[in-house]
Amino acid sequence: MNISSLDLPEKSIEFLHDQGFKTLYPPQADCIKNGLLDNNNLIVSTPTASGKTLVAIISTLQHIQNEGKIIYLSPLRALASEKYSDFKKLESLSKSDGSSIKVSISTGDFESNNEYLKNSDIIILTNEKFDSLQRHGIKWLSQVSLIVIDEIHLIGDEGRGPTLEMVLTRLKSGIIGKIPQIVALSATITNSDELAEWLDCEHVQSTWRPVPLSEAVYDDFAVTNQDRETYDVSFDYVGSSTIGLGLDCVKNGGQSLLFANTRTSAAKLAVDSGPLIQKTLSKNELDELAKISKKILSNNEHTQLVKKLATVVKLGVGFHHAGLNQNCREIIENEFRDGKIKLLSATPTLAAGVNLPARRVVISSVLRYNAQYGGNIPISVLEYKQLCGRAGRPQYDDEGESIIIGKNNQELLLEKYVDGEPEPIESKIISPSSLRIHLLSLIVTSPTITEEMINDFFSQTLGGNQVDDDIIELHLENAKTFLLDEEFIANKDNGFIATRFGQKVSRLYIDPMTARDFRNAIEYDITKGGEHTFGFLHLITTCEEFFPRFDLRQKDVERASIVIENNRQTLIRVIEEEECSRSLLALDLWTNEGTEVNLSDELGIESGDMHRMVDTADWLVYSLRELSREFRREDLVKELDILRKRIVYGIKHELIDLVRIRNVGRIRARILYKNGYKNRTALKKAPLEKLAEIDKIGMTIAKSIKSQVEKVR
């Protein structure tokens, strides 16, 4: 089917042609035949790289033509940013009234200013952000005519799944207004027909890929694929079979993606393969890689991890895991996409994140550590299919190849993973935490809702389709009892309403269990007067929501004892060393201006982990602040405001005034302080030339500082 045959304005057709789209892939054509442009709901279940984003763009173009408002939901911030870049290109078009198309993105969960979204035409949101907008009763949501849901199979994820399930149930029940068109995008899953029925969608399912995929297992120097065809493989390398297969691919002009089950393994694969890949590269290629290596070093603190990454990048390889900060990850992703990095080793989180295809994917192990189990367990077939789906680069490769490394278990791996069907998606809505959170949000957004209405709503969830009514009602009763007993909700007119406390908690987006603990601490444990900084940090790091959580190692016990003793006056309650997590020690070090090098060397906490801790801690301290106001503890509000600044910037108390200045972060603030400029008033009096002479300031920054502090009274 040709793009030019679509029922879209001529300008939209020209736009698609300019983007390189002339004809539709078979699954895309199936979407048109199933009513994509006739406002039909669709669930599109097709492999990676089969063109699902174009399906969303085509539907978006039609809704823009009809003055519609579009929301694109993404499960991850990284994916949301990627889609924002895709849809931002549509701003080159105009609406039917001649006005410009506006594309916006919002991924924060507790930010309150959403006015700029009101005037946007295409809005990229995370699932949690959309849920937050629904909870706040944002009026313009009723104007939305199209909802695109990316990666809908993650509705079965224990962490993110229930939130997505709730926002979709609200949509299809009409609680927030008119029911928009739903276009749900999914990897191939076994029960996509069940999801289609639940959402009242036409079902478009296909196994077609633009690049055919060979799935295979390597064992004893031989590779056997899904057709049980076997061929021998030999390497000019004695060592890891994973590296040997990756090197073999690169020597034949491809790129290779190696999946490891731990961060340490991912980094080691890169280190060990680097000298081998280097030998395959030209001088020009190595010169380009040297520039990338310098870029990594110039833009980041020189932790051991960053130095290791910069070293291997010079050799044409990289590694990617959650310990790297966003800057490093983006550099690696971009340079791998551009073909400059030939081999990339990564943990499986990459497969669920950004789109980075390679000719050959090598899965070094199908075992993953499971904290609940306390050891390694086999990955799911669904996760395996996500990993191997990265094989095959459209426009570059004639075939993609995915290979599992076997250990005398070739036939077992072929049967379980290569021949296997992904596990059916199962709702996680009835977990205790999920029901507490989402029952409260339902009552907040539906005042005086009755028990019958509650049961009816949850019967419309995916869980309601999959679990017996009496089981759901039993779990709902337990959640309801907790919310009543802890005064989040109250009985009224044969129904339920949320209390002020309940409304506040729902809009803060925290688990009512956490809110109860915060309230009890505010009302009974936190004394008036004095400082409570370390006590606040301990309180938030013990929450279920706090992430990432690192347990204390044996070598951290003495440090924990010293830190507790030094902060004994700021504790909310007495704690022992074993209650002091490594995450708590990291936040304490960070807010006392510990560097990323300090965090890595002393606590084994890498910058990527620290940045996620900062995000989580900021949200939880903000929630604690808002609840302190709710319970009239204004004495805590100022202290918590200061703590938020210290967490976000990684600074001691005395730098608060300086970091309020744009372009003055923790490093420049400390330099200014050491040079005698301890606040904005002092900077206002400083001669411009003298300010410019200070290390890391210079004339441009000095002028910026002066222009801002001139307003200080």
Side-chain angles (χ1 to χ4, degrees):
M1 183 181 290
N2 292 325
I3 291 286
S4 57
S5 67
L6 298 178
D7 184 19
L8 290 173
E10 185 178 339
K11 290 289 185 184
S12 296
I13 298 293
E14 289 176 4
F15 169 82
L16 293 173
H17 283 168
D18 290 343
Q19 298 300 311
F21 301 115
K22 306 295 184 187
T23 59
L24 296 179
Y25 288 156
Q28 296 165 341
D30 288 342
C31 290
I32 301 298
K33 293 170 186 174
N34 279 276
L36 178 70
L37 297 179
D38 298 321
N39 221 43
N40 286 356
N41 293 338
L42 295 185
I43 182 166
V44 186
S45 177
T46 61
T48 301
S50 58
K52 292 188 284 286
T53 299
L54 180 57
V55 170
I57 289 173
I58 288 171
S59 185
T60 296
L61 287 169
Q62 189 216 25
H63 280 265
I64 288 289
Q65 172 191 351
N66 296 324
E67 303 298 322
K69 197 177 187 76
I70 298 94
I71 285 179
Y72 190 108
L73 294 181
S74 169
L76 302 170
R77 291 185 181 188
L79 275 177
S81 297
E82 196 173 283
K83 296 307 174 186
Y84 177 64
S85 297
D86 290 337
F87 281 86
K88 190 74 173 170
K89 297 170 186 174
L90 272 64
E91 289 190 335
S92 64
L93 295 170
S94 298
K95 294 185 285 186
S96 57
D97 63 2
S99 60
S100 300
I101 294 171
K102 184 176 180 183
V103 182
S104 296
I105 183 171
S106 180
T107 58
D109 300 334
F110 65 94
E111 60 196 43
S112 58
N113 181 15
N114 299 296
E115 276 302 305
Y116 70 101
L117 300 178
K118 180 180 179 180
N119 299 316
S120 300
D121 304 292
I122 304 168
I123 305 167
I124 316 296
L125 303 172
T126 56
N127 301 332
E128 288 76 17
K129 180 61 185 180
F130 187 41
D131 187 28
S132 178
L133 293 174
Q134 288 183 342
R135 294 185 192 202
H136 280 79
I138 302 299
K139 300 297 183 186
W140 56 257
L141 289 179
S142 62
Q143 302 167 19
V144 174
S145 62
L146 170 67
I147 300 277
V148 179
I149 307 118
D150 201 1
E151 308 277 358
I152 194 175
H153 53 277
L154 289 177
I155 202 167
D157 179 76
E158 288 188 9
R160 297 184 175 91
T163 297
L164 178 57
E165 190 170 346
M166 282 296 291
V167 300
L168 293 180
T169 305
R170 287 194 199 105
L171 280 176
K172 73 192 203 75
S173 68
I175 283 180
I176 63 169
K178 70 175 183 180
I179 301 175
Q181 181 185 10
I182 292 174
V183 176
L185 310 176
S186 169
T188 304
I189 51 177
T190 301
N191 61 332
S192 55
D193 55 341
E194 182 181 19
L195 291 181
E197 183 180 354
W198 174 58
L199 290 172
D200 191 24
C201 286
E202 298 293 329
H203 186 205
V204 178
Q205 186 172 31
S206 174
T207 58
W208 183 90
R209 286 173 50 101
V211 179
L213 174 64
S214 168
E215 297 180 48
V217 176
Y218 172 89
D219 204 348
D220 196 22
F221 301 102
V223 172
T224 303
N225 68 15
Q226 67 265 37
D227 299 321
R228 300 312 190 263
E229 298 168 342
T230 299
Y231 57 93
D232 293 334
V233 177
S234 59
F235 321 122
D236 298 329
Y237 169 66
V238 178
S240 163
S241 301
T242 303
I243 291 174
L245 288 165
L247 177 63
D248 176 64
C249 175
V250 173
K251 282 185 173 180
N252 287 297
Q255 285 176 283
S256 195
L257 182 55
L258 314 182
F259 282 113
N261 57 359
T262 67
R263 297 180 185 184
T264 302
S265 299
K268 188 174 189 308
L269 285 172
V271 169
D272 291 349
S273 61
L276 304 167
I277 298 297
Q278 181 189 28
K279 294 176 183 177
T280 70
L281 303 177
S282 68
K283 183 179 183 304
N284 286 342
E285 288 175 317
L286 291 170
D287 288 344
E288 281 297 310
L289 290 164
K291 293 176 185 175
I292 299 166
S293 176
K294 287 179 181 177
K295 183 178 177 182
I296 290 170
L297 290 173
S298 63
N299 292 352
N300 298 279
E301 287 190 36
H302 292 189
T303 65
Q304 291 300 317
L305 188 69
V306 166
K307 288 191 287 189
K308 184 181 292 185
L309 181 65
T311 299
V312 298
V313 162
K314 285 193 292 188
L315 309 179
V317 304
F319 58 85
H320 189 293
H321 59 62
L324 294 172
N325 63 34
Q326 186 66 22
N327 176 268
C328 286
R329 291 200 301 270
E330 285 180 359
I331 290 173
I332 295 301
E333 291 160 14
N334 291 336
E335 302 304 338
F336 187 73
R337 281 195 193 97
D338 288 346
K340 293 174 185 173
I341 292 175
K342 305 298 182 183
L343 182 146
L344 178 62
S345 57
T347 51
T349 50
L350 179 66
V354 292
N355 181 28
L356 289 179
R359 179 182 297 178
R360 177 178 284 175
V361 166
V362 185
I363 301 167
S364 65
S365 174
V366 293
L367 297 178
R368 298 283 180 274
Y369 179 77
N370 182 284
Q372 292 180 333
Y373 179 76
N376 289 328
I377 62 173
I379 64 173
S380 66
V381 178
L382 179 60
E383 182 177 346
Y384 159 74
K385 296 296 183 184
Q386 288 283 94
L387 297 176
C388 72
R390 295 298 177 196
R393 301 167 302 171
Q395 302 170 341
Y396 292 100
D397 301 322
D398 296 327
E399 181 181 68
E401 188 178 23
S402 169
I403 304 175
I404 305 173
I405 301 297
K407 295 180 180 178
N408 300 318
N409 57 349
Q410 187 178 73
E411 190 56 38
L412 179 66
L413 292 172
L414 285 165
E415 290 177 2
K416 178 176 174 62
Y417 291 108
V418 175
D419 300 340
E421 288 280 339
E423 296 78 8
I425 300 302
E426 295 181 356
S427 167
K428 301 298 188 297
I429 195 71
I430 64 170
S431 72
S433 175
S434 293
L435 277 187
R436 282 194 303 269
I437 293 168
H438 295 299
L439 175 57
L440 177 60
S441 76
L442 179 64
I443 294 171
V444 167
T445 54
S446 310
T448 326
I449 189 171
T450 65
E451 187 157 348
E452 182 181 356
M453 292 163 68
I454 289 171
N455 292 338
D456 178 64
F457 178 87
F458 279 93
S459 72
Q460 296 180 59
T461 62
L462 179 62
N465 284 18
Q466 294 180 332
V467 181
D468 291 341
D469 289 346
D470 55 344
I471 294 177
I472 288 186
E473 288 175 15
L474 175 62
H475 285 281
L476 279 171
E477 188 59 38
N478 290 337
K480 201 184 310 157
T481 299
F482 173 84
L483 295 176
L484 282 167
D485 289 348
E486 298 296 340
E487 299 180 349
F488 293 96
I489 61 174
N491 295 108
K492 183 179 181 182
D493 299 334
N494 298 317
F496 303 95
I497 60 167
T499 62
R500 276 178 52 102
F501 178 42
Q503 291 176 36
K504 174 67 76 174
V505 168
S506 180
R507 287 165 184 158
L508 288 172
Y509 221 78
I510 55 176
D511 186 338
M513 188 83 80
T514 295
R516 179 202 62 183
D517 294 342
F518 281 3
R519 178 195 60 193
N520 290 347
I522 291 165
E523 291 195 322
Y524 307 119
D525 298 331
I526 305 176
T527 58
K528 291 192 175 183
E531 185 189 345
H532 310 90
T533 300
F534 192 74
F536 288 146
L537 293 178
H538 176 250
L539 181 60
I540 64 168
T541 54
T542 57
C543 299
E544 282 297 317
E545 292 96 327
F546 189 83
F547 176 84
R549 189 187 306 272
F550 293 95
D551 294 332
L552 218 59
R553 304 166 300 184
Q554 187 59 42
K555 62 182 178 180
D556 301 316
V557 173
E558 183 178 354
R559 182 191 189 97
S561 178
I562 294 170
V563 170
I564 290 171
E565 185 58 37
N566 290 343
N567 289 281
R568 194 163 296 282
Q569 298 302 314
T570 77
L571 288 173
I572 294 171
R573 61 178 178 81
V574 176
I575 63 172
E576 303 297 330
E577 286 86 348
E578 57 268 22
E579 296 178 79
C580 184
S581 68
R582 198 156 28 118
S583 301
L584 174 56
L585 296 180
L587 279 174
D588 176 67
L589 181 57
W590 175 253
T591 52
N592 283 290
E593 298 179 39
T595 65
E596 291 179 359
V597 174
N598 297 146
L599 288 157
S600 177
D601 291 350
E602 298 173 27
L603 291 170
I605 303 289
E606 301 300 344
S607 58
D609 298 313
M610 193 66 237
H611 290 174
R612 280 189 298 283
M613 267 192 263
V614 165
D615 283 345
T616 309
D618 182 37
W619 162 48
L620 290 171
V621 171
Y622 171 79
S623 300
L624 187 58
R625 173 199 188 276
E626 291 299 292
L627 291 180
S628 295
R629 289 183 62 193
E630 183 68 25
F631 291 102
R632 295 182 173 82
R633 287 296 303 273
E634 295 295 334
D635 58 304
L636 302 181
V637 171
K638 184 177 180 181
E639 187 181 359
L640 288 165
D641 281 338
I642 290 170
L643 180 56
R644 281 188 72 196
K645 287 284 187 186
R646 292 185 61 190
I647 289 170
V648 169
Y649 288 97
I651 54 171
K652 294 179 181 177
H653 190 166
E654 66 254 28
L655 298 187
I656 293 289
D657 194 41
L658 293 175
V659 296
R660 291 194 176 106
I661 303 169
R662 191 172 61 255
N663 296 323
V664 175
R666 67 193 316 231
I667 294 173
R668 286 194 179 113
R670 179 50 66 190
I671 290 170
L672 289 170
Y673 193 91
K674 285 181 177 178
N675 278 271
Y677 302 107
K678 298 186 176 183
N679 51 47
R680 288 178 293 171
T681 301
L683 287 169
K684 184 178 180 179
K685 297 175 182 176
L688 177 64
E689 292 74 14
K690 189 173 181 182
L691 200 57
E693 292 172 358
I694 297 174
D695 181 39
K696 296 192 184 299
I697 301 298
M699 185 56 73
T700 301
I701 297 295
K703 286 180 179 179
S704 173
I705 290 172
K706 292 296 284 184
S707 69
Q708 294 175 70
V709 299
E710 291 299 331
K711 302 168 187 175
V712 176
R713 293 182 180 179

